[in-house]
């Protein structure tokens, strides 16, 4: 993965406009975080292979970390804290946010076919 350059990522998001695509969205602050700090409130969310069709997709922010939003028919899909991206050999757009230690904190991924 490479650091996000908004203009390049925007062009990649636009490749998925107005067509059925599969979404992977995940947030985590580490499943074991509360083991190291009893007062730490561990949270996370996970959705995989949600079929969506978005009419507008944007990546915003002055500098890393960035935000990405996808306008769907009746709402929005949104991720914040994005730092890196790539398009893999399957044509999937992978956006990720890594913390200061390099651990995954958030992922927003789009694919023309279901994720394995």
């Amino acid at each position: 993965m490479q650091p996000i350059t908004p203009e390049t990522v925007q062009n990649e998001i636009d490749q998925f406009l107005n067509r059925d695509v599969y979404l992977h969205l995940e947030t985590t602050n580490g499943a074991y975080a509360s083991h190291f700090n009893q007062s730490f409130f561990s949270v996370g969310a996970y959705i995989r292979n949600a079929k969506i069709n978005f009419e507008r997709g944007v990546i915003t922010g002055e500098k890393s970390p960035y935000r990405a939003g996808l306008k769907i028919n009746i709402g929005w899909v949104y991720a914040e804290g994005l730092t890196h991206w790539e398009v893999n050999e399957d044509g999937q757009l992978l956006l990720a946010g890594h913390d200061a230690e390099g651990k995954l904190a958030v992922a927003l991924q789009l694919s023309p076919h279901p994720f394995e």
Side-chain angles (χ1 to χ4, degrees):
M1 300 193 96
Q2 56 189 311
I4 287 176
T5 51
E7 299 80 15
T8 305
V9 171
Q10 183 64 59
N11 287 335
E12 295 298 337
I13 291 172
D14 290 346
Q15 301 300 312
F16 292 91
L17 282 173
N18 298 311
R19 58 189 258 209
D20 289 342
V21 296
Y22 295 88
L23 170 74
H24 174 86
L25 179 64
E26 176 179 359
T27 65
T28 181
N29 55 13
Y32 299 102
S34 59
H35 290 292
F36 299 111
N37 181 351
Q38 295 289 325
S39 65
F40 189 84
F41 185 69
S42 182
V43 297
Y46 183 92
I47 184 169
R48 189 165 184 87
N49 285 324
K51 195 176 193 180
I52 66 169
N53 188 315
F54 61 94
E55 61 196 55
R56 181 173 173 227
V58 294
I59 184 156
T60 62
E62 294 295 316
K63 61 180 184 173
S64 184
Y66 296 95
R67 298 177 301 277
L70 309 173
K71 174 73 172 89
I72 59 176
N73 187 29
I74 57 172
W76 283 87
V77 174
Y78 173 85
E80 184 171 333
L82 300 167
T83 58
H84 292 81
W85 78 283
E86 72 178 24
V87 174
N88 68 15
E89 64 278 0
D90 292 327
Q92 298 168 326
L93 174 59
L94 312 177
L95 301 174
H98 298 106
D99 68 14
E101 298 174 358
K103 296 178 183 172
L104 180 67
V106 60
L108 188 156
Q109 303 174 350
L110 297 171
S111 175
H113 49 79
F115 291 95
E116 291 184 15

